[in-house]
Amino acid sequence: MECQLTGIVRQKPLNGDVLGVEAQYRKKKMYIKAKKGVVLATGGFGADVVMRSKYDPRLTSEVPTTNVATATGEAIVYAEDLGADVSGMDFIQLLVACNFFTKQYGSLANLGIDAAIFVNTNGKRFVPEDGRRDVLAEAVLKQPQKVLLWMADDTCQKRFNPEITEAIIKDGYSFRADTLEDLAKI
Ligand SMILES: Cc1cc2nc3c(=O)[nH]c(=O)nc-3n(C[C@H](O)[C@H](O)[C@H](O)COP(=O)(O)OP(=O)(O)OC[C@H]3O[C@@H](n4cnc5c(N)ncnc54)[C@H](O)[C@@H]3O)c2cc1C
């Protein structure tokens, strides 16, 4: 804990054994010598806009992430600087789950899709609701404002925790209308 990896040490910049890592513990620089090897398990880079858009240019700062803010992939870059190869970097899974207003994981994603219709901001349905995550994400990224509006009737609401539904309506993150005409006005 509180120990940050700041580099990887190799015998020579681009060849020889990896000897260990450079780290910072409470502002103090330290080196940790590897006994056998170094395994990097520092997670992904979904929170780093520059790095992720290098591999998938659609993932600009407009696209929110539910990754932790520290998912910035610097250890991958340290390894690449020493000659490590990477693969599959452009396989970044997207799930249409962020609340447009809060940019946080939205509870609506748990409602279930069998009683829902997805439309864009023009009110047009553009994707099968039961599509795979990549199909849904791909379709949403092509819509105005990169937004999917989730329309559901009370079948959906009854199945979900009604208190949470009421809370998000009260917070102004969801809207209720009694008729389709009224819904269109929102
Ligand atoms: C909202 C959300 C929901 C998810 N739901 C599911 C699910 O239902 N099922 C499922 O299977 N997966 C789910 N996932 C994916 C899953 O959480 C990840 O695939 C998994 O946590 C990746 O594990 P990891 O050990 O590779 O990386 P991480 O869990 O990201 O761990 C990497 C660790 O390295 C540390 N680290 C990074 N850089 C440094 C550094 N320079 N110095 C020191 N430490 C560093 C980080 O602080 C972190 O503790 C979800 C992810 C999200 C964001």
Side-chain angles (χ1 to χ4, degrees):
M1 301 297 281
E2 296 180 57
C3 186
Q4 189 181 357
L5 176 81
T6 50
I8 302 170
V9 183
R10 194 172 184 182
Q11 273 175 332
K12 288 190 178 164
L14 289 174
N15 58 50
D17 291 343
V18 171
L19 302 175
V21 296
E22 179 193 286
Q24 191 166 317
Y25 178 67
R26 296 184 178 171
K27 294 189 180 160
K28 203 175 142 216
K29 194 172 184 175
M30 60 193 279
Y31 290 89
I32 302 168
K33 191 174 176 200
K35 287 187 182 156
K36 291 183 180 167
V38 172
V39 176
L40 292 178
T42 47
F45 54 95
D48 189 286
V49 175
V50 174
M51 192 168 172
R52 73 185 195 204
S53 48
K54 173 180 158 191
Y55 295 106
D56 187 339
R58 300 168 308 168
L59 304 184
T60 59
S61 53
E62 271 185 291
V63 180
T65 181
T66 54
N67 279 198
V68 285
T70 51
T72 42
E74 66 274 11
I76 300 169
V77 178
Y78 301 151
E80 282 184 291
D81 285 347
L82 295 178
D85 205 357
V86 290
S87 70
M89 297 292 275
D90 53 333
F91 286 91
I92 301 173
Q93 192 194 68
L94 301 173
L95 169 65
V96 184
C98 269
N99 181 302
F100 178 74
F101 300 103
T102 63
K103 310 295 182 207
Q104 303 292 319
Y105 191 71
S107 49
L108 277 178
N110 298 323
L111 275 173
I113 45 90
D114 48 331
I117 295 175
F118 298 161
V119 294
N120 64 17
T121 49
N122 297 324
K124 294 258 183 281
R125 188 168 172 264
F126 60 91
V127 70
E129 288 74 11
D130 61 353
R132 285 193 332 229
R133 290 181 178 193
D134 58 336
V135 174
L136 290 168
E138 187 101 6
V140 170
L141 288 172
K142 290 180 187 148
Q143 303 311 308
Q145 293 178 271
K146 300 178 182 167
V147 165
L148 171 156
L149 298 174
W150 187 301
M151 282 172 34
D153 65 10
D154 59 353
T155 324
C156 224
Q157 194 198 342
K158 278 176 195 149
R159 182 176 340 130
F160 194 52
N161 182 338
E163 281 166 29
I164 296 180
T165 316
E166 290 307 319
I168 53 179
I169 291 173
K170 204 171 156 206
D171 289 345
Y173 298 144
S174 294
F175 313 93
R176 177 187 283 136
D178 290 331
T179 63
L180 280 177
E181 287 73 23
D182 287 347
L183 194 63
K185 285 179 200 151
I186 294 170

mmCIF file of all heavy atoms in Angstrom, residues 66 113 127 142 144 170:
data_model
loop_
_atom_site.group_PDB
_atom_site.id
_atom_site.type_symbol
_atom_site.label_atom_id
_atom_site.label_comp_id
_atom_site.label_asym_id
_atom_site.label_seq_id
_atom_site.Cartn_x
_atom_site.Cartn_y
_atom_site.Cartn_z
ATOM 1 N N THR A 66 -16.180 3.964 -16.245
ATOM 2 C CA THR A 66 -16.446 3.553 -14.862
ATOM 3 C C THR A 66 -15.199 2.929 -14.247
ATOM 4 O O THR A 66 -15.248 2.413 -13.145
ATOM 5 C CB THR A 66 -17.599 2.532 -14.822
ATOM 6 O OG1 THR A 66 -17.280 1.457 -15.704
ATOM 7 C CG2 THR A 66 -18.912 3.158 -15.228
ATOM 8 N N ILE A 113 -33.495 -5.715 -20.076
ATOM 9 C CA ILE A 113 -33.810 -5.062 -21.350
ATOM 10 C C ILE A 113 -35.098 -5.594 -21.993
ATOM 11 O O ILE A 113 -35.539 -5.077 -23.002
ATOM 12 C CB ILE A 113 -32.631 -5.178 -22.353
ATOM 13 C CG1 ILE A 113 -32.038 -6.582 -22.398
ATOM 14 C CG2 ILE A 113 -31.568 -4.176 -22.051
ATOM 15 C CD1 ILE A 113 -32.656 -7.457 -23.390
ATOM 16 N N VAL A 127 -30.875 0.236 -32.434
ATOM 17 C CA VAL A 127 -30.106 -0.981 -32.158
ATOM 18 C C VAL A 127 -31.019 -1.986 -31.446
ATOM 19 O O VAL A 127 -31.925 -1.576 -30.700
ATOM 20 C CB VAL A 127 -28.865 -0.633 -31.279
ATOM 21 C CG1 VAL A 127 -29.247 -0.243 -29.854
ATOM 22 C CG2 VAL A 127 -27.838 -1.755 -31.256
ATOM 23 N N LYS A 142 -22.209 6.128 -32.555
ATOM 24 C CA LYS A 142 -22.563 6.796 -33.827
ATOM 25 C C LYS A 142 -23.764 7.725 -33.670
ATOM 26 O O LYS A 142 -24.198 8.357 -34.629
ATOM 27 C CB LYS A 142 -22.897 5.731 -34.887
ATOM 28 C CG LYS A 142 -21.675 4.953 -35.325
ATOM 29 C CD LYS A 142 -22.062 3.922 -36.379
ATOM 30 C CE LYS A 142 -20.875 3.031 -36.700
ATOM 31 N NZ LYS A 142 -21.268 1.691 -37.059
ATOM 32 N N PRO A 144 -26.179 10.951 -32.059
ATOM 33 C CA PRO A 144 -25.939 12.320 -31.599
ATOM 34 C C PRO A 144 -25.618 12.311 -30.102
ATOM 35 O O PRO A 144 -26.268 11.593 -29.339
ATOM 36 C CB PRO A 144 -27.281 13.032 -31.850
ATOM 37 C CG PRO A 144 -28.067 12.134 -32.743
ATOM 38 C CD PRO A 144 -27.502 10.762 -32.653
ATOM 39 N N LYS A 170 -36.474 11.747 -8.923
ATOM 40 C CA LYS A 170 -36.408 12.941 -8.072
ATOM 41 C C LYS A 170 -35.103 13.714 -8.307
ATOM 42 O O LYS A 170 -35.090 14.946 -8.331
ATOM 43 C CB LYS A 170 -36.484 12.502 -6.599
ATOM 44 C CG LYS A 170 -36.984 13.575 -5.673
ATOM 45 C CD LYS A 170 -37.241 13.010 -4.308
ATOM 46 C CE LYS A 170 -37.151 14.126 -3.285
ATOM 47 N NZ LYS A 170 -36.799 13.669 -1.975
#
